[in-house]
Amino acid sequence: MATDMSADRREVIVLPEQGALVGAAARQFIDRARDAVSTRGIFTVALSGGSTPRPLYELLSAAPYKDEIDWEKVHVFFSDERFVPPDSSASNYHMVCDCLLSKVPMFERFVHPVATENGTPGEAAALYEEGLRRVFAVGLTEVPRFDLVLLGMGEDGHIASLFPGTQAVSEEDRLVVESTVPGTNARRVTFTLKLINAARCVMFLIEGRAKAEAVRRALDGDALPAALVRPTNGELVWLLDESSAGGVAVPVTRRQTL
Ligand code: 6PG
């Protein structure tokens, strides 16, 4: 079992089932949003795609959670995107708009989708990186520092669209790059670990028995993209349900009972 320093800076929180898991994620989201807004006047968050975060977005879109966030101070980005039109059912932007952004009083200009309608994934990645630097007002030698990056994880240990064994995982200079889902021609645009690990907080939201082996391996420090998520100067929170935490031997920060 890896016991590197980063293991000491992370929280592994296990919730009994999906409802409690999503509730804990909503609480983390709100607390970090309120802290960011009171400290810096805005909350910058990168949202994950996939199916796991949908119930979280739906929870945040309605009272009482919705009313606890100053949505006019929130900037939303996407930690990865499928290179499909924004109205495609496969689009992460489309899913997040459907579950959350269409239901809360955000400024439209503070929602930052990846431009997937023209050009190539590589051009879209470069444009997204330029947009990030502009919003965060950082130059070419600095890295934008998100208040929160929300991630899921695949059964193979991928995060965002950083798939095991692909070049995008080992990218050390760019903040946003193109990638392709292995074994398919599905093209993606994704944050790199350089950008993810600059965040004040990275929060994994993972559920289900199918993820248990990848969770155990990642927390043990095996060579999976998820294991490479180690915020340089930030917090790392693993929010798991009992099923996905099944094989975890590393210290669990707290196991919340119903
Ligand atoms: C995506 C996500 C991806 C996702 C994992 C887990 O665009 O699909 O960013 O990294 O988080 O594949 O997906 P599920 O939550 O659907 O299991």
Side-chain angles (χ1 to χ4, degrees):
M1 175 178 74
T3 55
D4 60 14
M5 274 304 290
S6 60
D8 302 334
R9 298 181 55 198
R10 76 185 168 203
E11 276 198 291
V12 179
I13 303 171
V14 179
L15 288 308
E17 40 73 43
Q18 191 211 35
L21 176 70
V22 170
R27 182 44 53 201
Q28 289 266 353
F29 188 102
I30 289 165
D31 292 348
R32 295 178 188 283
R34 295 175 77 161
D35 176 63
V37 169
S38 64
T39 312
R40 288 175 294 278
I42 68 168
F43 174 53
T44 55
V45 60
L47 297 179
S48 170
S51 56
T52 305
R54 290 183 73 112
L56 166 61
Y57 302 150
E58 285 158 358
L59 199 59
L60 291 170
S61 75
Y65 295 96
K66 170 181 176 181
D67 305 325
E68 294 196 53
I69 295 173
D70 187 352
W71 292 101
E72 294 185 352
K73 304 279 180 44
V74 178
H75 276 262
V76 167
F77 289 82
F78 298 83
S79 49
D80 74 326
E81 185 56 278
R82 293 85 180 275
F83 201 71
V84 295
D87 60 356
S88 162
S89 61
S91 161
N92 289 337
Y93 167 73
H94 177 79
M95 180 270 287
V96 175
C97 283
D98 187 43
C99 295
L100 176 60
L101 303 181
S102 60
K103 302 171 185 171
V104 295
M106 281 195 67
F107 287 128
E108 196 169 330
R109 68 181 185 279
F110 286 3
V111 178
H112 306 278
V114 178
T116 58
E117 293 189 282
N118 303 301
T120 67
E123 291 164 344
L127 269 176
Y128 209 53
E129 181 163 333
E130 282 171 27
L132 272 164
R133 293 189 186 283
R134 188 169 53 252
V135 172
F136 281 82
V138 298
L140 290 175
T141 59
E142 299 167 274
V143 183
R145 190 165 187 224
F146 276 91
D147 293 307
L148 176 63
V149 173
L150 177 65
L151 294 175
M153 186 187 70
E155 293 177 32
D156 61 357
H158 80 257
I159 51 127
S161 288
L162 298 174
F163 297 95
T166 62
Q167 196 281 325
V169 175
S170 49
E171 171 62 43
E172 294 184 346
D173 299 317
R174 302 283 310 282
L175 305 179
V176 185
V177 294
E178 64 181 296
S179 85
T180 303
V181 180
T184 77
N185 60 2
R187 302 180 303 171
R188 301 276 186 100
V189 173
T190 182
F191 280 14
T192 60
L193 283 160
K194 178 175 183 178
L195 178 55
I196 291 168
N197 283 332
R200 289 187 176 83
C201 177
V202 181
M203 181 166 76
F204 277 105
L205 181 63
I206 301 172
E207 58 135 351
R209 194 167 313 286
K211 307 284 178 75
E213 178 59 13
V215 165
R216 182 194 63 74
R217 289 188 58 205
L219 289 174
D220 275 357
D222 286 10
L224 296 178
L228 300 176
V229 175
R230 299 194 197 100
T232 313
N233 181 20
E235 297 175 68
L236 176 59
V237 179
W238 286 73
L239 287 183
L240 307 169
D241 69 341
E242 284 290 359
S243 299
S244 62
V248 169
V250 295
V252 169
T253 310
R254 65 174 173 276
R255 210 172 211 100
Q256 187 174 318
T257 55
L258 269 174

